[in-house]
Amino acid sequence: MIRVAGTALMAAAFFGMLAGCTDNQGVNAASGALVGAAVGNQLGSGKGRTAATLVGAAVGAQVGANQTTSRLCTYRNSQTGQTYQAACP
């Protein structure tokens, strides 16, 4: 039980650090897959360890790819000079 709680805490902390660090969905998915695989490997045992690692990688990739980004870019209208903020491309 302690191992499960520690692993979950480690995964939550890592995802918290990565959330919004990059706008690249591929990088977020790859990072999530690595963390998910590590968590799955820790939770699995015996012959189920490989399956747990693969499931963890798949879930981690989905979570990483779907992280929301909160970066805003400032744009200026060249005709009016007015500035506004919108999501970065």
Side-chain angles (χ1 to χ4, degrees):
M1 183 65 180
I2 293 175
R3 184 171 89 171
V4 172
T7 303
L9 182 62
M10 176 188 73
F14 188 76
F15 278 124
M17 288 186 308
L18 283 181
C21 285
T22 179
D23 290 333
N24 188 329
Q25 189 177 19
V27 171
N28 289 343
S31 300
L34 290 174
V35 172
V39 170
N41 195 328
Q42 289 294 315
L43 295 178
S45 63
K47 292 184 179 183
R49 180 168 285 200
T50 302
T53 302
L54 293 174
V55 169
V59 170
Q62 283 297 317
V63 170
N66 292 319
Q67 288 294 321
T68 58
T69 57
S70 60
R71 280 185 49 188
L72 294 177
C73 292
T74 302
Y75 297 96
R76 187 177 70 81
N77 185 327
S78 60
Q79 295 175 349
T80 64
Q82 185 179 7
T83 60
Y84 62 95
Q85 290 188 333
C88 295

